[in-house]
Amino acid sequence: GAVVSQHPSRVICKSGTSVKIECRSLDFQATTMFWYRQFPKQSLMLMATSNEGSKATYEQGVEKDKFLINHASLTLSTLTVTSAHPEDSSFYICSARLAGGWEQYFGPGTRLTVT
Amino acid sequence: AQTVTQSQPEMSVQEAETVTLSCTYDTSENNYYLFWYKQPPSRQMILVIRQEAYKQQNATENRFSVNFQKAAKSFSLKISDSQLGDTAMYFCAFMRVGLGNKLVFGAGTILRVKS
């Protein structure tokens, strides 16, 4: 149980376009989902926390207008990278947490390459 | 703000041997959890072990155990009988209970198990 999926696993887009990444909890309802960014051989950096039905809370230094997060249902959160640039190329990981729980269940990640 | 420090960027160990990964953290909180996560080449984050700060007994999960020194704010991971499949990046993480239960990760230690 407690499986989280991400789609797509890899995406290549052109500079200036937008790309959407989906995070789904497959067998549980996730009231809270987290979005992380990871550069090669580096740690995970929390970008934002999203709660179902409310606006996401962004970490300091993360551009809200660039990284749009929508948590429309208890099983789906989306991250949209708007007007992507090569410096947005990275590995994006989501995690999901049950209501009242402590454990975060991680998705397999999405590799974004902006050309 | 909480910080997590992993001072060993890379480590290697022979198969079947024991290795210890170091982690220190800084917090003024009293109610928190500490974790070790494993990230193999697939990049899927896997929870290895968890320690609640209020528990004095060190957590153990099969070949994995921790040495939790609360006063020293130290949280090391010992891997016994190392296996080739243990090769991965290992992250120490801190979570303050409440206020969103967000994870703060250390920089990571790359562990290579050699045959």
Side-chain angles (χ1 to χ4, degrees):
Chain A
V3 178
V4 175
S5 70
Q6 280 185 243
H7 179 80
S9 56
R10 288 175 177 262
V11 58
I12 301 172
C13 70
K14 292 189 176 181
S15 188
T17 63
S18 295
V19 61
K20 181 184 286 188
I21 301 170
E22 292 186 347
C23 176
R24 292 182 185 272
S25 56
L26 299 185
D27 50 3
F28 67 100
Q29 293 186 327
T31 52
T32 304
M33 288 184 171
F34 302 87
W35 286 95
Y36 296 87
R37 183 173 181 177
Q38 185 180 30
F39 289 106
K41 293 188 178 180
Q42 292 190 26
S43 189
L44 280 71
M45 181 193 77
L46 179 64
M47 299 175 66
T49 303
S50 75
N51 292 295
E52 187 265 338
S54 60
K55 288 185 178 180
T57 303
Y58 291 81
E59 295 299 304
Q60 194 172 7
V62 177
E63 297 177 62
K64 301 178 184 181
D65 294 333
K66 180 160 194 63
F67 298 101
L68 300 179
I69 291 170
N70 185 9
H71 193 158
S73 76
L74 286 171
T75 59
L76 174 65
S77 177
T78 59
L79 167 67
T80 301
V81 183
T82 62
S83 187
H85 291 285
E87 56 265 30
D88 299 325
S89 298
S90 191
F91 194 68
Y92 293 88
I93 302 174
C94 75
S95 70
R97 193 184 71 208
L98 285 159
W102 58 266
E103 185 164 1
Q104 292 185 29
Y105 301 95
F106 286 84
T110 296
R111 181 179 301 283
L112 169 63
T113 303
V114 184
T115 61
Chain B
Q2 289 78 28
T3 58
V4 178
T5 302
Q6 293 179 250
S7 58
Q8 305 153 313
E10 294 190 28
M11 298 224 10
S12 63
V13 63
Q14 286 295 127
E15 202 174 3
E17 297 291 305
T18 296
V19 64
T20 299
L21 308 184
S22 302
C23 173
T24 58
Y25 60 95
D26 187 25
T27 185
S28 57
E29 301 296 328
N30 210 32
N31 191 10
Y32 55 89
Y33 289 176
L34 294 163
F35 307 88
W36 279 97
Y37 282 90
K38 169 184 177 181
Q39 188 180 42
S42 68
R43 314 264 326 239
Q44 174 72 57
M45 294 289 285
I46 300 166
L47 176 63
V48 175
I49 200 163
R50 170 186 65 134
Q51 175 80 42
E52 293 94 325
Y54 65 85
K55 289 187 177 178
Q56 290 188 332
Q57 187 171 8
N58 289 323
T60 299
E61 288 287 342
N62 300 312
R63 297 182 296 108
F64 300 88
S65 61
V66 298
N67 183 1
F68 174 47
Q69 301 290 326
K70 190 173 182 179
K73 296 180 182 172
S74 169
F75 183 61
S76 61
L77 174 70
K78 185 171 85 171
I79 306 174
S80 304
D81 186 26
S82 297
Q83 301 175 359
L84 295 177
D86 294 334
T87 293
M89 175 85 102
Y90 286 82
F91 293 102
C92 178
F94 172 99
M95 185 187 79
R96 173 187 169 184
V97 176
L99 282 187
N101 285 0
K102 295 188 285 188
L103 286 168
V104 176
F105 288 92
T109 297
I110 298 173
L111 176 66
R112 294 186 175 87
V113 180
K114 300 179 178 179
S115 59

